[in-house]
Amino acid sequence: MITDSKGNKWYKGNLHTHTTSSDGAVSPDEAIKLYNGLGYDFVALTDHWHVNEPGEYNGTLILSGVEYDISVDGCYHVVGYGLDFKQQYRNVPYIGVMKPEIYENAD
């Protein structure tokens, strides 16, 4: 965190990080240590379809996060924060497999 000349506090963080829990290059622990070493105040681990555990590491706040992909008339990515990592939300109502007929009569 830095404080500017007007007294405003600015935090350094990353809100979209993938790890080996989905398609990232490093493990969650390695990612957290990397961002901590770079002076980040917070990081959200937002792996595909995997809610990561929140916490704190050596002064870096770890936000729980996840990225869901939705395939309806294209591919959309939805990133969520602050979810209960114990739930894992594997049964989010038909995300990624919604049947087209659901939308045929939509206004």
Side-chain angles (χ1 to χ4, degrees), residues 2-103:
I2 62 168
T3 304
D4 65 20
S5 61
K6 296 181 181 181
N8 297 309
K9 295 179 180 178
W10 296 85
Y11 295 89
K12 182 177 181 179
N14 184 329
L15 291 174
H16 193 154
T17 304
H18 291 214
T19 72
T20 53
S21 293
S22 63
D23 60 352
V26 298
S27 72
D29 287 341
E30 291 170 313
I32 291 165
K33 289 176 183 176
L34 177 109
Y35 282 104
N36 177 263
L38 293 170
Y40 279 65
D41 297 300
F42 63 91
V43 62
L45 302 181
T46 54
D47 287 300
H48 294 278
W49 292 90
H50 179 83
V51 181
N52 288 286
E53 184 174 359
E56 185 271 337
Y57 173 77
N58 201 24
T60 299
L61 178 64
I62 313 304
L63 304 173
S64 68
V66 65
E67 180 177 359
Y68 293 117
D69 52 284
I70 303 168
S71 298
V72 177
D73 294 328
C75 186
Y76 301 92
H77 296 260
V78 177
V79 178
Y81 306 102
L83 302 170
D84 182 351
F85 80 99
K86 293 176 185 172
Q87 294 294 322
Q88 288 300 321
Y89 300 91
R90 298 246 185 252
N91 295 315
V92 174
Y94 304 107
I95 286 181
V97 293
M98 294 185 98
K99 296 181 180 178
E101 60 267 18
I102 294 173
Y103 297 100

